[in-house]
Amino acid sequence: MAGSAGLSLCGHALVVRGGSRLLATSTSSSDDDSLFIYDCSAAEKETQEHKGEDGQPVDKGSDMILASTFSKSGSYFALTDDSKRLILFRTKPWQCLSVRSVVRRCTALTFTASEEKVLVADKSGDVYSFSVLEPHGSGKLELGHLSMLLDVAVSPDDRYVLTADRDEKIRVSWAAAPHNIESFCLGHTEFVSRIFVVPDHPELLLSSSGDRTLRLWQYRSGRELHCCHLPSLQEPTEPWSDKRFAASRITYWRQEDCVALLCDGLPVVCLFQLDAPRRQLVFQQQLTFQHRVWDVAFEEAQGLWVLQDCREAPLVLCRPVGGQWQSVPATTASKRVCAHLLENWAMLEGPAGTDGGFSSLYKATCDNMTTYLKKKEERLQRQLERKRRGGPPCGPGGQTKRMKAGRAPRSCSS
């Protein structure tokens, strides 16, 4: 979720971001207590002054991290910030490779499976590619939408680029020739907040939306396989049962084909079983937390890590115990990571109250028909009332028709 605290995991490498800073460490108990901290506010900036069409300086941004991700192998990490920069890191060991400018503020980014490029989606609906092998190379425009892009993904074989926009669409384009569109996945009735290609089932796509659904697709054909209405999974007495929400994270655990869904602004995580042979999602469990959940991510070796707004336990590990997911006692590694987060808690306090931006993406409804029908009914009532009294008929807007002075009524000739 852009602008709020976030969590990324790949192997044992763990990154927590908040505000303009990121903190990278390891979840392995055998690793040393290494810690890498990077602050975007200290990163190099362009010296030229940016000016708008009116000649006035344009807002340079707040340096807040908007999106971040690991490459498939975990060898690279990339982020974009509010100052319109793409920052690329090598993770073994951690080192900043480049700081490049992007055209507009970005909403999502992803690495190609080959790790040769980073694809960056922005608010104007464009996707640019940046080379990883040439870390200082300029970006190349790959494709564009007529609407704001909210997420971007690639197929495991790098053949397709998938994009999700504010206008309810998921587009599947050829990576080699993005002007060729393979299909559209249509069915959502609000903006598409997240998309996720399932690694172990590369023909399947998961998507979430402001319409409060989680959908499963066969994306090459654009066919919807299953739709799960999230409000139906909640008890009517729960305070968020009638609230609008969208998923801010879809994450997947290969060990048990488990899908975790985090909904923006809700202290719950929904867990599903992906039944690939039957092409459906099976709801398993809902994890409820006492504090706001910022982000979630699976670690294949351990389970589900939950980043929450709680100083006493900012990072919680959940595992299946006896068929039910639950939080487990803190390990040596989790205590070490939590200690690092407490030492740098200021970076999380700022984003804690920020809006992820989903609330402004819903369609604005304007009921003109109700007003029209009300005025029409009032006009008809006035006309009926005048007929009862024997008065002259009313003209448009309820005004009484009057004859012009000095002119006699026209008579009909036989």
Side-chain angles (χ1 to χ4, degrees):
M1 186 166 46
S4 71
L7 176 66
S8 300
L9 268 165
C10 188
H12 294 304
L14 179 145
V15 172
V16 175
R17 74 168 197 259
S20 64
R21 306 177 72 190
L22 71 83
L23 181 153
T25 185
S26 173
T27 60
S28 174
S29 57
S30 60
D31 290 348
D32 59 1
D33 192 15
S34 59
L35 180 67
F36 175 78
I37 297 177
Y38 187 86
D39 194 338
C40 293
S41 62
E44 61 184 77
K45 298 184 179 181
E46 291 186 337
T47 56
Q48 66 268 29
E49 184 179 42
H50 295 277
K51 294 184 178 181
E53 295 179 357
D54 57 358
Q56 297 299 317
V58 177
D59 177 25
K60 295 182 180 179
S62 64
D63 300 323
M64 180 178 289
I65 299 173
L66 301 179
S68 62
T69 188
F70 275 103
S71 64
K72 182 179 179 181
S73 68
S75 299
Y76 298 97
F77 185 83
L79 66 85
T80 60
D81 68 4
D82 194 55
S83 293
K84 302 180 185 178
R85 292 174 299 186
L86 170 66
I87 305 178
L88 178 67
F89 300 88
R90 179 185 290 117
T91 65
K92 302 172 183 178
W94 278 90
Q95 177 189 1
C96 178
L97 296 179
S98 65
V99 179
R100 288 176 278 190
S101 295
V102 294
V103 178
R104 294 174 183 85
R105 288 180 176 87
C106 301
T107 54
L109 73 165
T110 188
F111 284 87
T112 57
S114 65
E115 302 188 0
E116 295 179 354
K117 297 178 182 178
V118 183
L119 300 182
V120 179
D122 64 32
K123 290 187 175 182
S124 67
D126 295 328
V127 173
Y128 286 82
S129 65
F130 291 82
S131 174
V132 174
L133 304 179
E134 298 178 5
H136 296 282
S138 301
K140 175 187 175 184
L141 178 63
E142 297 289 350
L143 60 89
H145 283 231
L146 296 177
S147 176
M148 176 193 296
L149 288 179
L150 299 178
D151 207 358
V152 60
V154 293
S155 60
D157 58 4
D158 277 343
R159 291 183 61 190
Y160 302 102
V161 178
L162 296 87
T163 44
D165 68 22
R166 184 181 180 179
D167 290 339
E168 310 155 10
K169 299 189 301 298
I170 301 171
R171 183 202 292 182
V172 183
S173 307
W174 293 8
H179 57 277
N180 288 325
I181 299 174
E182 179 75 9
S183 67
F184 284 98
C185 299
L186 304 177
H188 284 296
T189 57
E190 280 287 356
F191 58 89
V192 183
S193 58
R194 291 290 177 263
I195 54 176
F196 181 83
V197 179
V198 184
D200 289 350
H201 309 282
E203 75 283 3
L204 300 180
L205 173 75
L206 294 166
S207 69
S208 60
S209 165
D211 61 12
R212 304 190 295 179
T213 63
L214 175 65
R215 301 181 189 234
L216 180 67
W217 308 84
Q218 194 172 52
Y219 61 86
R220 284 195 59 185
S221 63
R223 178 187 170 199
E224 181 181 307
L225 303 174
H226 186 79
C227 178
C228 181
H229 294 271
L230 301 177
S232 65
L233 308 178
Q234 301 169 350
E235 296 294 334
T237 56
E238 291 178 340
W240 52 82
S241 59
D242 59 348
K243 180 181 177 181
R244 294 194 306 185
F245 58 83
S248 57
R249 173 71 73 182
I250 301 175
T251 185
Y252 173 75
W253 198 33
R254 289 182 166 181
Q255 286 192 22
E256 299 186 13
D257 278 339
C258 183
V259 176
L261 185 74
L262 172 64
C263 295
D264 177 29
L266 301 184
V268 297
V269 177
C270 297
L271 296 168
F272 299 84
Q273 179 81 31
L274 174 60
D275 189 346
R278 296 185 178 182
R279 296 294 197 259
Q280 65 181 8
L281 292 162
V282 180
F283 176 68
Q284 284 188 319
Q285 188 179 345
Q286 179 176 285
L287 295 175
T288 304
F289 298 86
Q290 297 297 319
H291 305 276
R292 177 184 177 183
V293 178
W294 283 324
D295 208 349
V296 295
F298 277 113
E299 181 183 357
E300 288 299 325
Q302 300 202 54
L304 181 68
W305 289 97
V306 179
L307 180 66
Q308 60 177 353
D309 185 9
C310 176
R311 290 183 66 101
E312 291 73 25
L315 201 60
V316 177
L317 178 62
C318 298
R319 292 175 180 166
V321 178
Q324 290 290 311
W325 284 82
Q326 62 186 42
S327 58
V328 297
T331 62
T332 302
S334 63
K335 289 179 180 178
R336 187 183 70 247
V337 176
C338 287
H340 290 318
L341 292 177
L342 290 176
E343 292 172 0
N344 296 272
W345 189 254
M347 77 178 198
L348 299 174
E349 285 182 322
T354 59
D355 183 7
F358 290 145
S359 61
S360 63
L361 300 179
Y362 288 92
K363 297 175 183 175
T365 56
C366 184
D367 190 3
N368 292 330
M369 185 58 68
T370 300
T371 304
Y372 166 76
L373 293 176
K374 182 180 178 180
K375 289 184 177 180
K376 181 178 179 181
E377 181 65 25
E378 291 174 352
R379 186 172 68 252
L380 292 174
Q381 290 298 329
R382 286 196 297 267
Q383 290 177 353
L384 289 174
E385 186 65 24
R386 287 186 177 278
K387 283 183 179 179
R388 293 192 192 100
R389 294 177 182 177
C394 294
Q399 300 296 324
T400 304
K401 292 182 178 178
R402 296 182 180 179
M403 295 183 180
K404 294 183 179 180
R407 181 178 296 181
R410 183 181 298 177
S411 60
C412 299
S413 59
S414 58

